[in-house]
Amino acid sequence: MTIFPRNRRQSAAASAAVALVALATLATTAAPASASVPTTAAAVAAPATATPSALALPRPTGPYATGRDALLLTDHARPDPWAPDAGPRRLSVTLHYPARPGTGGDPAPYMAEEEARLMLAQRGLDDPTWPGRVGAARTHARTAAAPAPGRFPLVVLSPGFGTPRATLTGLAEELASRGYVVASADHPYETTGMALPDGRVLPCAACDAVDAQPDEAGRRKVLATVSTGRAADVSFLLDRLTGPRPAWRHARTIDPHRIGMAGHSIGGNAAASTMAADRRVDAGVNMDGMFFDPMSARGLGGRPFLMLGTEPGHGPGGGDATWDEGWTRLDGFKRWLTVRDSGHFTFTDTPEIGEQLGIVDPGAPLSAARSTAITRAYVTAFFDRSLRGRPARLLDGPSPAHPEVLFRRP
């Protein structure tokens, strides 16, 4: 995926070509985690506008106000697989939830500025103003908001490999506004940088492990371990959110009998891995992730699963054979949807943030507005059907409201 800056002028003093890379280092193929995707664009100067506008996520559309909380959980039963000397495995978790209107403080920042800097720098995007702007992007869920009355289904979100959980904030806020509790997890040492409360930032040791492999088979094996490791992370998270002594102060708002999971890229593979390992997860969504850990040959016990991906890359016979194989093993309600003009990060906040930064991707011309609308509509419809038993006509077949979405029935 190639990107180019928009609304910038060429510097007369800078004649050397520079490499601008996509906001993706590991898409649906097993490329090394730190590999970049270079282009040859002319060198660029500072933006013409002196004061860039603030970045903002689109507002959620559901009837609920949304709250936001955070947890740092420690699994004392497991050493961290990527940094055993660091001690037990920890998870950094953001909770979004339906809230009482008018309660809570200001919306929290999108992500820590250092997390934003590391994410951008690892992808070759080194404009010195961007980390601050990305980190401070406006969100809509209010901190310390009082939860709305009632009990709500829980959805766990798992991000792509090397990508912070913040990149799924827009989807988390949308689901919370529609009556879901959403737990978005950062899996330590699997993102470009995970900030801890004491100010330390954990590096991507798992990225180094992938890069150290001599061939694609070795990289795939490590990435399969990432997916199954995330399944163990999520099972621990469910214990801490729905067990007899929950770690979250508003855990009473969770209905432990209605749990779903969605993930982007390797996080989508992890949704299937988690369902194979933990019967508590009732439904799963894979957003454009290769099944490095293959779909269980035993199926998922009749539980529903949605595969939502790029077109043609994740269409039948489109290059990722793991989707063709996985489809045949699904034994419950299932849908295989692909989206025209999309890219690997279409299903995250990247189109919204990138468009506001002036970044274009000729390989994925679908607009940010359409990317957001499609992701919200189909993921919400799937969970409404699977966890709430509501009609979801959107999943019955092509919709004139979303002509980019193709229903695949191999």
Side-chain angles (χ1 to χ4, degrees):
M1 178 166 61
T2 303
I3 60 173
F4 296 100
R6 192 189 275 142
N7 297 329
R8 289 192 160 213
R9 60 191 177 193
Q10 182 172 338
S11 168
S15 57
V18 297
L20 293 178
V21 298
L23 290 175
T25 57
L26 190 74
T28 55
T29 59
S34 63
S36 59
V37 184
T39 86
T40 54
V44 292
T49 53
T51 305
S53 60
L55 307 182
L57 298 184
R59 287 188 175 277
T61 64
Y64 288 96
T66 56
R68 175 169 166 166
D69 212 343
L71 295 173
L72 182 64
L73 303 175
T74 302
D75 184 356
H76 294 284
R78 285 194 302 150
D80 193 284
W82 308 113
D85 293 343
R89 183 72 161 169
R90 288 174 291 185
L91 292 182
S92 190
V93 181
T94 299
L95 282 304
H96 289 87
Y97 55 94
R100 293 181 183 271
T103 65
D106 294 332
Y110 183 61
M111 68 169 71
E113 183 172 341
E114 182 63 8
E115 289 179 327
R117 186 189 69 79
L118 291 168
M119 180 183 74
L120 294 167
Q122 198 268 351
R123 290 146 175 85
L125 302 171
D126 55 2
D127 185 306
T129 68
W130 283 2
R133 295 181 65 196
V134 171
R138 183 163 185 254
T139 61
H140 302 283
R142 296 189 174 274
T143 57
R151 304 191 85 185
F152 304 96
L154 171 67
V155 173
V156 177
L157 296 182
S158 184
F161 187 63
T163 307
R165 71 189 186 279
T167 56
L168 296 175
T169 298
L171 179 58
E173 291 188 335
E174 176 69 12
L175 288 168
S177 79
R178 291 177 174 267
Y180 293 87
V181 175
V182 184
S184 306
D186 259 348
H187 307 269
Y189 301 104
E190 296 175 19
T191 176
T192 47
M194 187 182 99
L196 298 176
D198 62 8
R200 288 181 296 149
V201 178
L202 304 182
C204 191
C207 299
D208 296 338
V210 172
D211 286 347
Q213 300 307 306
D215 53 28
E216 183 174 328
R219 292 191 289 271
R220 287 180 180 233
K221 185 175 180 179
V222 174
L223 289 164
T225 301
V226 171
S227 186
T228 55
R230 290 192 179 193
D233 288 346
V234 174
S235 289
F236 164 70
L237 174 59
L238 296 182
D239 291 342
R240 300 300 290 124
L241 291 179
T242 67
R245 302 177 68 181
W248 185 40
R249 57 183 171 171
H250 301 314
R252 67 185 183 279
T253 63
I254 295 173
D255 181 347
H257 303 296
R258 294 185 292 169
I259 297 174
M261 181 174 174
H264 171 247
S265 196
I266 196 74
N269 188 179
S273 298
T274 302
M275 291 181 71
D278 196 323
R279 288 288 311 182
R280 290 175 293 181
V281 182
D282 301 303
V285 179
N286 179 354
M287 298 183 290
D288 211 53
M290 179 178 283
F291 292 104
F292 295 104
D293 176 38
M295 184 74 70
S296 172
R298 301 185 304 274
L300 296 176
R303 287 168 290 171
F305 200 86
L306 169 65
M307 303 193 319
L308 177 63
T310 53
E311 172 64 33
H314 267 128
D320 182 357
T322 69
W323 275 41
D324 298 85
E325 178 185 70
W327 177 256
T328 65
R329 295 180 174 183
L330 290 171
D331 54 354
F333 176 87
K334 59 183 180 178
R335 289 293 183 268
W336 183 342
L337 309 180
T338 56
V339 183
R340 292 191 187 99
D341 295 331
S342 62
H344 185 55
F345 277 80
T346 285
F347 313 101
T348 73
D349 298 335
T350 298
E352 296 284 356
I353 296 295
E355 199 168 275
Q356 292 173 62
L357 287 174
I359 295 172
V360 294
D361 177 10
L366 191 68
S367 71
R370 293 302 301 149
S371 299
T372 296
I374 289 167
T375 304
R376 286 176 167 183
Y378 284 90
V379 173
T380 301
F382 175 78
F383 284 128
D384 280 351
R385 182 195 183 280
S386 303
L387 302 181
R388 287 180 154 144
R390 294 179 177 176
R393 294 185 181 88
L394 193 62
L395 300 176
D396 291 343
S399 166
H402 302 291
E404 306 92 339
V405 179
L406 305 178
F407 279 66
R408 314 312 299 256
R409 295 183 174 92

